[in-house]
Amino acid sequence: MYNTSFFKKTLLIASVVLLYSCDKDFNAIGDDLIGDNHFGLESEKYDVVAYDQVISPIQSNALVNNALGIYNDGVFGERTASFATQVSLDSYVPTIGADPTVVTVTLTVPYFSHATAVNEGVTTYVLDSIYGKPGEKFKLSVYESGVQMRSSYIEGGSQYPQLYYTDQNADFDAYKDPTRKEGKRLNNGIPSENDEFYFDSSERSDETTDPVTNVKTTTKSPPQMRLNLDKDFFRDKILKASAANLSAQDVFQQYFKGLYFKVEKAGGSPGNMALLNFAQGKITIKYRAKTEITTDPEDTKEDKTLVINLSGATAGLQNNVKAPAYQNALNTQNTSTGDESLYLKGGEGSLAVIELKDFGLKLEDIRAKKWLVNEANLVFHIDRDKMLGIPDATVGTREPKRIYLYDLTNNTPILDFITDGTGSGAAMGKAVYSGIINVDPTSKKGTTYKIRLTNHIRNIIKNTTAVNVKLGLVVTGDINTSGSYKLKLKNNVISDAPKASVISPLGTVLFGNNIPSSSPNYAKRLQLEVYYTKPN
């Protein structure tokens, strides 16, 4: 009995000492707070200064996904997205054979899609990453590129990455004059593959016949871009090329510089846009050739296949026509007192700059009072009046699912982003840091985005050498991509922008800080809210 009692007392004393000796500096809100009268959890709100900032032509090479098509969301304006890429042989030093005759040349690029039903052996698919009304058409032309692209270059004995920018359409257009060999449009099939192209959600079926048994086999594939290309061009360019030009990647990419996917309006159609992983695309040349030079008749030729992959250096190319209200907002930014509306647009678009000036002025007082930060948030309210028409199923527009707050001064993630290990994937990662859209259950439209910057604020208070940096806010196409891309022309505010924002063609309009007190939206103005534990 004595031993048991002694053990309990010892355990109690040890527990008290351990709790007392622990770092009491900060808590997560609601976690491990002592329920007595000495501490109270209180909220403080601080005014911020937030304003629009244009993203001028920006680096667009080596993106995992690239936009292709035309998208007009009715709020930000119309964007036309083209694409350029190098190509590479699936296997170098191929044995072509003699007297080749081309059967088909087919370019394929898979779409992002998911199956919704299977009926009598036919699978129904819905395309993902489509922007705009499904089925709308645009003019698509595929040309041999005349631009020698590369991944890097040498200068002064050092190697540097070669950058390509969103505004370089003219560099590639310069080679599509029909009088030049690069100016011949290669996708010369039916209208739905060129002049009236659209993203087809149909399942693909291919039938092949075994040359020996004559047994027919049907192979089905999910939706994909499928273009029939000019057979004479690829016979002369590839099958009749010298062995040296097909011997190695660097030589081949100098000989065949790649492809340029040019997008234009098709009549009165508004068009639509898709995100594609072109690196999964390929050109398949099916042809017949003799195994050696002989005078044998045509029927002695063998069926052969040569594959060209869409791999190497790439460039996402954009042409933007901004809506008047959007352009006016960018032209009239107020860097002193902030803007009423914040326009976020991916790609060659715009971001918001946020300065925590009011909080910075009160830092010494917070430190002197020894307030402990439990949680800090920025809540961004969506301006539904300015976002009319988004999302609208009839026109296929949508809102960004996530936004991304970062250290704009240093072009790096904030501490809360770095330390958040929750979730995985582009949709669910960094769930505590968040930036995930909140949707009204009735209207199905977005209401707010909330971003947690607790650790960022704690660090500024605790570390007297920490700088109260400017923050940047962008839409993001992948929350797990946090690197930066270079602007072609730097300005006094930004020289880079997040890579993930270049991927996304979407935009949103948020309430800024500078809303008149007489406005019914005054309560939705942007403020920093911090929850403290305040010693009495």
Side-chain angles (χ1 to χ4, degrees), residues 160-220:
Y160 301 94
Q162 177 66 55
L163 307 185
Y164 295 94
Y165 296 90
T166 51
D167 70 339
Q168 289 189 243
N169 302 70
D171 295 338
F172 293 88
D173 283 338
Y175 293 90
K176 68 181 189 66
D177 184 336
T179 61
R180 308 172 66 111
K181 68 177 183 178
E182 299 93 345
K184 184 178 183 180
R185 185 161 75 170
L186 301 179
N187 52 325
N188 58 357
I190 59 177
S192 62
E193 298 179 8
N194 40 65
D195 287 342
E196 299 177 4
F197 178 85
Y198 68 99
F199 297 107
D200 189 351
S201 63
S202 303
E203 181 180 49
R204 294 286 187 169
S205 294
D206 297 289
E207 187 175 80
T208 58
T209 302
D210 187 285
V212 178
T213 64
N214 288 325
V215 174
K216 294 182 178 181
T217 303
T218 299
T219 303
K220 296 184 177 182

Side-chain angles (χ1 to χ4, degrees), residues 315-332:
L317 307 168
Q318 298 177 12
N319 181 35
N320 296 283
V321 179
K322 294 182 174 66
Y326 176 39
Q327 184 66 70
N328 182 64
L330 298 179
N331 292 341
T332 58

Side-chain angles (χ1 to χ4, degrees), residues 417-460:
F417 180 94
I418 296 171
T419 58
D420 187 355
T422 58
S424 61
M428 298 306 296
K430 310 292 183 182
V432 174
Y433 163 85
S434 192
I436 301 170
I437 192 170
N438 294 306
V439 178
D440 182 272
T442 302
S443 67
K444 307 300 182 183
K445 295 183 178 181
T447 56
T448 60
Y449 299 91
K450 179 180 178 180
I451 292 182
R452 176 171 169 156
L453 62 164
T454 307
N455 292 325
H456 177 74
I457 295 299
R458 286 174 177 170
N459 185 56
I460 295 173

Side-chain angles (χ1 to χ4, degrees), residues 448-502:
T448 60
Y449 299 91
K450 179 180 178 180
I451 292 182
R452 176 171 169 156
L453 62 164
T454 307
N455 292 325
H456 177 74
I457 295 299
R458 286 174 177 170
N459 185 56
I460 295 173
I461 296 173
K462 189 176 182 179
N463 185 357
T464 56
T465 62
V467 178
N468 186 16
V469 297
K470 292 180 180 179
L471 301 174
L473 186 72
V474 294
V475 298
T476 178
D478 181 358
I479 195 62
N480 293 315
T481 298
S482 58
S484 293
Y485 265 7
K486 299 290 184 183
L487 268 62
K488 189 173 186 179
L489 298 173
K490 299 178 181 180
N491 56 58
N492 59 353
V493 180
I494 58 172
S495 59
D496 303 68
K499 178 180 178 180
S501 72
V502 183

